[in-house]
Amino acid sequence: TKGYPVSLFASSEKLLSRQSAVKEEVLFPPVATSLWTRMGPRFIPFAHVGNCKVREAQSSWPLFEELLRALEQSDVFVWGKHWENFPQVRNWVGETGISGVPDIYGKALYALGVLYPFQLERGAFSSRYWQAPLAGCSLICESASQTSIPGVYPWGLKDGLERARREKPDTLAVQREATNFWLAHWDQAKARVSEALKEMPPGDTHILPQSPSAWTSCASFRRLYADD
């Protein structure tokens, strides 16, 4: 509210204000690669891990119908809340916590990297973009905005599923390239946070460190007020 720059390391809509007048900047987050690295037998052809945001599905999410058609396929398995409301989703496994996500991706060949409307509007990306590749799981997305990230392929949902069925990814190579990529961006992101903090009055900010119990692998900082 005082005009300080805000760097968006997370893609949670709850953290964003559409009416915000401050400068917003989307950056690669400093990802702790060890939190997401999993490898196992690949018996899940396609995984979709994410809650169904019913409000967006009913109004401003043009990709929702395309996603539903993908989730009708017999080789696509789904984790997340509220999918039980859509009987055409054939393989809804159930809900999962963030701690279970790496194990799912560690057993999948491909994941669906669908972005919500607020992410598409800002050119942001979701945590799937590092969670899946770091587990050796290739991510099929519908947007070409973040394809510099290893293991992310802008094939689209319909064509992507068909193409992926004809190919067998090198899961070890996907994991190795993703690990190198996120390690390289760790120092860059931390430097940008430090730069932003220098622009704020002393004692007015706190860095919230990353930990295995955190819901996401992002370094965050926020302004703390005396009355909150």
Side-chain angles (χ1 to χ4, degrees):
T1 57
K2 297 181 181 180
Y4 295 113
V6 176
S7 297
L8 304 181
F9 293 113
S11 298
S12 170
E13 190 172 19
K14 295 178 181 178
L15 302 179
L16 306 181
S17 171
R18 295 180 183 273
Q19 287 74 39
S20 175
V22 301
K23 177 184 176 182
E24 295 179 350
E25 181 179 356
V26 177
L27 297 175
F28 288 115
V31 175
T33 58
S34 60
L35 295 183
W36 310 106
T37 301
R38 298 288 189 279
M39 295 293 280
R42 303 281 166 169
F43 59 85
I44 302 173
F46 300 94
H48 178 63
V49 183
N51 298 328
C52 175
K53 294 182 179 288
V54 179
R55 178 173 57 83
E56 286 86 347
Q58 294 175 341
S59 57
S60 59
W61 197 5
L63 290 169
F64 183 70
E65 292 300 325
E66 185 175 350
L67 175 60
L68 273 183
R69 286 192 291 271
L71 301 186
E72 293 174 359
Q73 306 300 309
S74 61
D75 53 357
V76 179
F77 293 80
V78 182
W79 286 262
K81 297 179 181 180
H82 310 307
W83 291 111
E84 68 272 21
N85 299 318
F86 298 89
Q88 59 268 60
V89 177
R90 186 176 301 188
N91 296 315
W92 178 60
V93 181
E95 300 179 13
T96 185
I98 190 66
S99 61
V101 171
D103 289 326
I104 295 171
Y105 287 142
K107 298 171 184 175
L109 287 173
Y110 291 94
L112 306 185
V114 179
L115 298 177
Y116 296 121
F118 76 94
Q119 293 167 329
L120 291 170
E121 291 172 5
R122 287 173 161 79
F125 56 94
S126 74
S127 55
R128 299 182 189 92
Y129 280 58
W130 67 80
Q131 292 170 354
L134 284 173
C137 177
S138 298
L139 191 75
I140 301 172
C141 68
E142 76 288 346
S143 171
S145 62
Q146 298 295 345
T147 52
S148 62
I149 301 175
V152 177
Y153 302 100
W155 297 343
L157 295 182
K158 180 181 178 182
D159 295 338
L161 290 174
E162 294 300 322
R163 179 173 177 174
R165 291 186 181 108
R166 300 191 299 266
E167 301 183 8
K168 186 176 181 180
D170 186 338
T171 56
L172 287 174
V174 169
Q175 184 182 65
R176 181 174 60 252
E177 293 172 6
T179 300
N180 292 338
F181 177 88
W182 290 109
L183 286 176
H185 282 85
W186 177 280
D187 289 335
Q188 176 185 348
K190 286 201 298 184
R192 182 63 188 90
V193 172
S194 298
E195 179 185 341
L197 291 176
K198 290 177 182 178
E199 303 173 12
M200 301 181 183
D204 201 29
T205 61
H206 289 258
I207 296 180
L208 306 180
Q210 179 176 281
S211 70
S213 61
W215 70 272
T216 187
S217 180
C218 295
S220 305
F221 62 92
R222 67 174 63 172
R223 185 170 305 282
L224 301 179
Y225 295 96
D227 58 349
D228 186 6

